[in-house]
């Protein structure tokens, strides 16, 4: 029998989960109170499908396996995995997660896509089986990017994290189990640090949004896609690797290069960042840019697998 993913909240991220699960041959049941939710989701799946076909569909993959319901309680019935993707507001998430927990079978894992909240805070109002409410934080576009950060809370057992790990692997993902719960998990902490610094550079008139993006795309970003931060710096140390890198560049860490605290989002800074990004988009719609990004990511995942085969399971079905 097919596995069933239940998706609560079908915005950018919920729809990404839906497209991924359908491509892996799962049944999907969705709930979102917005009036146009079903139409938006079906359009989203149609646009994502060509990239998913290139990645490789499961035999039973079929967009017709998606159904919408108008009640959260009905949606969670029969689920093998439940994914919550409502807006990032703690009170709202707590309320929805406690309703899901009350209605769902107690052994079913409930993953929250939250970018920043800790699982113990999300579990607090759940009465039936709080431990199975965990953070399962994906990356946009969810249907292509393999990483999902799994974070258990105070009530979560190792066994529950293990069950979640297997479930997300069967959605062709690469689960990264985060050892300790912290706000922002791992990847968003890194992205936030870069983002704050980029905003300072724009705010101080050092660079435009376009120039900063060029620095990432043609400089650091290309290497990060293959090796991440530590391996990139290991190579920067020459034959002696990281040890020499730290000896040579370690002192610079003490220099006041980075600010890390975000600048005030003044109207002037907002205008600079928005106008700069719109200038770079040059009249192309977000949907058009999404398609270009997706084609690139499909090929990039192939390249990562070709040149870094140790990172097995990054692409397609595991
Ligand atoms: P979004 O605003 O695009 O979508 C939220 C959806 O939730 C909407 O469709 C809305 O109608 C629905 N919703 C609102 N109230 C609801 C309710 N009571 N029950 C069910 N559905 C309800 O937001 P998003 O960007 O998809 O973010 C969702 C979650 O994913 C957030 O927790 C966010 O932190 C996380 N996340 C976002 C990104 C990203 O890049 N956008 C990446 C990773 C994780």
């Amino acid at each position: 029998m097919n596995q069933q993913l239940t998706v609560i909240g079908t915005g950018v991220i919920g729809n990404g989960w839906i497209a991924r699960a359908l491509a892996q041959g799962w049944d999907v049941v969705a709930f979102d109170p917005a009036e146009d939710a079903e139409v938006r989701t079906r359009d989203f799946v149609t646009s994502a499908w060509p990239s998913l076909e290139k990645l490789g569909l499961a035999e039973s993959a079929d967009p017709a396996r998606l159904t919408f319901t108008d009640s959260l309680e009905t949606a969670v019935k029969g689920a093998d995995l439940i994914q919550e993707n409502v807006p990032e507001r703690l009170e709202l998430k707590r309320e929805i997660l406690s309703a899901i927990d009350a209605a769902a079978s107690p052994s079913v894992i409930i993953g929250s896509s939250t970018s920043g909240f800790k699982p113990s805070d999300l579990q607090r109002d759940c009465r039936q089986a709080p431990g199975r409410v965990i953070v399962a934080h994906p990356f946009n576009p969810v249907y292509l990017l393999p990483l999902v950060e799994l974070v258990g809370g105070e009530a979560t057992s190792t066994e529950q994290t293990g069950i979640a790990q297997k479930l997300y692997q069967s959605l062709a993902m690469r689960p990264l189990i985060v050892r300790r719960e912290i706000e922002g998990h791992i990847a968003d902490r890194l992205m936030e640090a870069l983002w704050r610094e980029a905003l300072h550079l724009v705010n101080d008139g050092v660079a435009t949004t376009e120039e900063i993006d060029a620095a990432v795309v043609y400089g650091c970003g290309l290497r990060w896609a293959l090796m991440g931060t530590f391996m990139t710096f290991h190579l920067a140390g020459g034959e002696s690797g990281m040890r020499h890198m730290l000896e040579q560049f370690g002192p610079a860490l003490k220099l006041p290069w980075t600010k890390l605290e975000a600048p005030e989002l003044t109207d002037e800074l907002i205008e600079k960042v928005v106008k700069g990004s719109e200038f770079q988009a040059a009249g192309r719609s977000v949907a058009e840019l999404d398609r270009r990004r997706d084609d690139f990511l499909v090929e990039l995942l192939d390249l990562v697998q070709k040149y870094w085969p140790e990172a097995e399971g990054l692409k397609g079905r595991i």
Side-chain angles (χ1 to χ4, degrees):
M1 212 174 85
N2 266 22
Q3 289 193 287
Q4 177 190 316
L5 175 71
T6 289
V7 174
I8 306 295
T10 58
V12 177
I13 295 302
N15 283 341
W17 282 109
I18 290 172
R20 170 174 284 277
L22 291 170
Q24 295 303 320
W26 286 44
D27 290 330
V28 178
V29 178
F31 168 73
D32 189 313
E35 222 165 72
D36 58 343
E38 179 163 359
V39 173
R40 272 196 284 123
T41 297
R42 294 201 186 274
D43 286 351
F44 183 99
V45 171
T46 304
S47 337
W49 209 252
S51 302
L52 289 163
E53 275 176 327
K54 281 186 214 150
L55 266 187
L57 298 173
E59 223 170 88
S60 53
D62 186 350
R65 288 188 182 279
L66 167 66
T67 50
F68 259 77
T69 69
D70 53 11
S71 126
L72 181 146
E73 287 71 23
T74 315
V76 302
K77 295 275 174 280
D80 293 287
L81 175 64
I82 300 168
Q83 190 73 30
E84 170 277 309
N85 322 277
V86 301
E88 187 78 350
R89 297 201 306 272
L90 188 56
E91 291 315 312
L92 175 67
K93 289 213 182 264
R94 273 205 191 137
E95 185 191 321
I96 300 283
L97 286 165
S98 84
I100 298 173
D101 174 56
S105 158
S107 59
V108 178
I109 298 289
I110 304 169
S112 169
S113 294
T114 178
S115 300
F117 300 131
K118 297 200 279 191
S120 295
D121 292 334
L122 298 175
Q123 292 172 349
R124 203 156 296 156
D125 297 334
C126 298
R127 296 282 165 265
Q128 189 182 195
R132 48 63 179 274
V133 176
I134 62 165
V135 167
H137 175 241
F139 293 81
N140 188 39
V142 181
Y143 52 94
L144 294 182
L145 295 189
L147 189 71
V148 56
E149 292 175 319
L150 299 183
V151 199
E154 281 156 20
T156 307
S157 65
T158 320
E159 195 196 344
Q160 283 167 320
T161 315
I163 294 170
Q165 183 180 22
K166 288 210 177 68
L167 282 163
Y168 288 101
Q169 274 170 342
S170 66
L171 283 168
M173 297 189 92
R174 191 178 161 90
L176 177 63
I177 296 176
V178 180
R179 291 163 189 267
R180 193 149 55 84
E181 53 179 327
I182 50 167
E183 284 96 352
H185 329 310
I186 297 175
D188 277 0
R189 287 218 165 189
L190 299 173
M191 289 193 293
E192 277 287 311
L194 184 74
W195 179 223
R196 288 192 196 107
E197 220 41 52
L199 290 174
H200 274 296
L201 292 168
V202 174
N203 202 34
D204 297 346
V206 175
T208 63
T209 60
E210 193 176 20
E211 286 158 0
I212 291 171
D213 282 354
V216 175
V217 170
Y218 300 109
C220 33
L222 283 171
R223 305 168 306 181
W224 282 338
L226 183 67
M227 289 189 175
T229 294
F230 285 98
M231 286 310 287
T232 294
F233 281 157
H234 181 62
L235 271 59
E239 273 310 301
S240 349
M242 181 59 91
R243 191 167 295 285
H244 180 60
M245 148 73 198
L246 289 174
E247 279 160 11
Q248 193 181 2
F249 298 110
L253 290 172
K254 298 279 185 203
L255 299 176
W257 279 8
T258 48
K259 300 195 178 175
L260 286 182
E261 243 179 64
E264 195 62 39
L265 278 182
T266 59
D267 289 348
E268 195 188 346
L269 177 56
I270 291 173
E271 276 311 292
K272 270 192 190 174
V273 170
V274 171
K275 290 257 163 62
S277 307
E278 283 169 359
F279 174 76
Q280 287 175 253
R284 291 168 296 219
S285 68
V286 169
E288 196 182 337
L289 292 169
D290 273 349
R291 269 194 302 280
R292 187 186 293 205
R293 175 205 59 197
D294 286 3
D295 289 347
F296 171 74
L297 285 175
V298 168
E299 290 190 36
L300 192 60
L301 284 168
D302 263 337
L303 282 174
V304 171
Q305 209 166 39
K306 179 173 170 193
Y307 288 95
W308 203 244
E310 297 88 333
E312 67 187 48
L314 276 174
K315 176 178 171 277
R317 308 206 70 217
I318 296 176

